[in-house]
Amino acid sequence: MTHHTRSADAEPRSRAVPAIPDPRPADSPPDGVPLPEQALPEGAAPPPGQGLPWARVRAQGGAEDRARAVDRGQGRDQGVALEGGAEPGGGLVRFAVSSHTLRALASTEPSAEGTRLVRDVRRSKRLLLLRAVLDAAPGAEAAERWALLEEAERQDPEAVRDVLHYPATGVWAEETLRRLHAPQGPPPDLAHLGALAVAAALRAGIGFKATLRPVGGRLALPTLGLLRPDRPGPLALTERSWDSCATLPLHALPGGRTALDDLDPYRAPPAAHPAPVRPARRLTPKGHKRWDTQWSGALTLLERYDSARADEIGRLLRTVVPLGGGTRSSGATLPAAAGSVLARAQAPPALAATLVHEVQHGKLAALADVLTLHTADRTPRLWAPWRSDPRPLEGLLHGAYAHLALAGYWQRAALYGARGAWAQHARVRAQVAAVLPVLRAQPQLTVTGREFVDGMAAAERTMDELPPPGDQHATARRALERERRAWCEAHPELAAFVQV
């Protein structure tokens, strides 16, 4: 069985959005290799220089329709599609997810096909957002900035791909699109498109001239860091500006794959948006060193206990954003910032678990962008053992998915002798096992969503092959039952939603 997203024909656009993957290990499969479900017809070939499989991205409706869809959070129903000779007459090829790929993703276990799908969906969505911003932006300045991006791409496609697919660029694009279609609110920050273009041009090493206005005495250049001019007012920039001005480079975490972003103004949503977590202010050198130590320790544990997940994290995680002080959460994931995790500084074992947990949220968010897994609203009525507040179906599904991966990680860590790992595994697995039947019974699940939950349940059952010693699993289930009864007493009106 193959699950297709919906698509529709649309008029070609005159300006092509550069197709750009983010950084990846040198041994990653080339982006031009088609997914098995997206094979080109005989005789067709991808256009040269297109990193995203076979070309530009389009979706149903015009730019205004797409903007409204993003604003309502309904990207999954818009049907991201690929254009460019994949069908006779220049028609569209839809993303297609086979049952094999769907179940591979449902298990949370890393797989080549799952990782390719997640990366391709992220790229497609980002290009769609950028296309919509460019279509809606007034005046000629946006077109001039985009022309500089195109010029940089001709010289160094990989550098421009990294800039446009940088996680913070997605936060900016979504916020800008909202503001462009909400004229009564704050004005859109279209000047940031100039910062994207300048960052791309600097990294591509092309000659250029541009004038941008720093904010608060600083000019943020995505993937590079901050420029700090010595005088206020507009700043004339050339290819020599990064070397001639005072700079504050983005901090690269050990290992070379992931950056610690405490600089980009769009590393998290603007302060005007209510959010349960906030990014930390710029760290001191001592703070960077602390993160280097904890990151290195976490990667060492991941590579020792679960090398496949360590590799998956390297492929899917571009940035880590430090959480601000006073945040109780150990980590968070923002759908707009695909490829980024917000995390607080913590000991390596806890950080390793946080990374495993949060990367799953990013995978599921990408899948939900092209497949409708349920039709439930956001009403919070379901028990999630890992939280005290009721959760909507979407939240429970995300939580169960992330905790299923954690259960698998702790099981592998326990087999390598990690202290306390069996108890962690037993506790988390008991939580997942308790909510999977509740998820499966939800009538709002689509056929695809039910198949996905069935795949999660199958993965949970395979853990029986390597049970914890003694009665740890039974002890965890008894403790969980006490927590369930206490939750029902605190929420008597929702008790009917706790058990099947």
Side-chain angles (χ1 to χ4, degrees):
M1 181 178 180
T2 301
H3 307 271
H4 295 276
T5 63
R6 294 178 292 171
S7 64
D9 292 333
E11 290 299 319
R13 300 292 183 184
S14 59
R15 293 177 297 217
V17 176
I20 317 174
D22 45 27
R24 62 187 178 198
D27 61 348
S28 296
D31 292 318
V33 176
L35 296 177
E37 302 82 20
Q38 294 176 315
L40 286 166
E42 185 176 357
Q50 296 289 356
L52 185 69
W54 330 305
R56 303 187 299 273
V57 176
R58 296 190 298 181
Q60 296 184 36
E64 185 173 350
D65 296 330
R66 297 200 296 273
R68 289 174 182 150
V70 170
D71 195 44
R72 293 196 304 264
Q74 294 176 350
R76 75 166 71 107
D77 292 328
Q78 293 303 303
V80 176
L82 302 175
E83 168 204 358
E87 290 183 359
L92 299 181
V93 172
R94 299 170 294 177
F95 272 114
V97 184
S98 69
S99 289
H100 174 76
T101 301
L102 184 69
R103 285 188 169 261
L105 282 167
S107 74
T108 78
E109 294 297 327
S111 67
E113 61 270 28
T115 298
R116 280 199 302 271
L117 179 67
V118 169
R119 289 167 64 92
D120 283 342
V121 169
R122 287 177 174 178
R123 294 184 191 117
S124 296
K125 183 179 180 181
R126 180 63 54 81
L127 295 178
L128 169 61
L129 278 169
L130 293 170
R131 176 75 266 167
V133 168
L134 193 59
D135 286 345
E141 185 173 334
E144 293 174 1
R145 304 305 190 196
W146 197 259
L148 180 56
L149 279 165
E150 290 179 328
E151 183 181 352
E153 189 203 21
R154 286 190 287 271
Q155 176 66 28
D156 191 341
E158 289 297 324
V160 183
R161 288 167 181 164
D162 187 27
V163 171
L164 293 191
H165 290 278
Y166 191 66
T169 303
V171 177
W172 166 78
E174 286 203 7
E175 179 65 17
T176 299
L177 201 53
R178 290 190 184 97
R179 293 185 180 189
L180 283 167
H181 291 273
Q184 304 306 317
D189 180 15
L190 291 172
H192 193 69
L193 182 59
L196 293 171
V198 167
L202 286 169
R203 291 189 54 182
I206 64 171
F208 72 95
K209 292 182 179 179
T211 300
L212 300 179
R213 184 177 292 275
V215 177
R218 299 173 181 175
L219 179 64
L221 298 177
T223 75
L224 289 175
L226 298 177
L227 277 178
R228 297 186 289 185
D230 55 5
R231 63 178 67 90
L235 179 64
L237 298 162
T238 70
E239 63 274 15
R240 294 181 293 275
S241 293
W242 187 257
D243 296 324
S244 59
C245 294
T247 62
L248 192 62
L250 190 68
H251 183 76
L253 289 166
R257 296 182 180 182
T258 306
L260 186 73
D261 194 344
D262 57 342
L263 299 175
D264 197 294
Y266 289 99
R267 64 191 184 275
H273 289 269
V277 294
R278 288 291 176 206
R281 295 179 180 273
R282 181 164 60 90
L283 300 181
T284 63
K286 183 177 180 181
H288 285 156
K289 185 175 181 180
R290 181 187 182 192
W291 262 100
D292 287 348
T293 301
Q294 293 172 340
W295 175 262
S296 296
L299 285 191
T300 297
L301 294 176
L302 285 165
E303 289 164 356
R304 179 186 305 162
Y305 300 148
D306 200 335
S307 59
R309 291 202 189 278
D311 182 69
E312 179 183 63
I313 289 168
R315 293 176 188 274
L316 295 180
L317 192 61
R318 177 66 175 91
T319 62
V320 173
V321 174
L323 280 172
T327 300
R328 290 185 297 174
S329 175
S330 59
T333 301
L334 302 174
S340 181
V341 163
L342 290 92
R344 85 179 144 78
Q346 51 199 298
L351 180 58
T354 295
L355 294 175
V356 170
H357 179 109
E358 297 302 332
V359 165
Q360 308 313 308
H361 287 302
K363 289 161 59 179
L364 184 52
L367 184 66
D369 276 330
V370 292
L371 291 178
T372 300
L373 301 178
H374 67 84
T375 59
D377 59 22
R378 300 291 298 176
T379 303
R381 59 167 64 94
L382 300 170
W383 172 56
W386 42 85
R387 293 180 63 129
S388 60
D389 56 329
R391 302 294 289 152
L393 177 55
E394 175 80 0
L396 186 63
L397 179 61
H398 262 271
Y401 186 69
H403 281 78
L404 176 63
L406 268 185
Y409 170 71
W410 284 122
Q411 186 180 49
R412 289 186 174 91
L415 293 171
Y416 277 91
R419 182 181 302 175
W422 275 126
Q424 291 274 27
H425 163 73
R427 177 181 62 84
V428 176
R429 185 189 171 190
Q431 293 174 336
V432 174
V435 302
L436 282 173
V438 177
L439 283 171
R440 183 64 172 76
Q442 298 303 306
Q444 297 94 342
L445 284 181
T446 63
V447 172
T448 301
R450 205 168 303 281
E451 183 178 353
F452 186 79
V453 173
D454 286 345
M456 292 173 60
E460 188 269 330
R461 288 193 299 271
T462 62
M463 296 178 187
D464 283 335
E465 298 172 6
L466 296 167
D471 63 349
Q472 292 189 60
H473 199 184
T475 300
R477 288 198 301 268
R478 289 194 295 269
L480 187 67
E481 178 58 21
R482 291 193 295 270
E483 294 172 11
R484 185 193 66 81
R485 288 199 298 267
W487 192 90
C488 289
E489 290 174 1
H491 304 87
E493 74 285 2
L494 299 176
F497 297 99
V498 171
Q499 287 185 323
V500 180

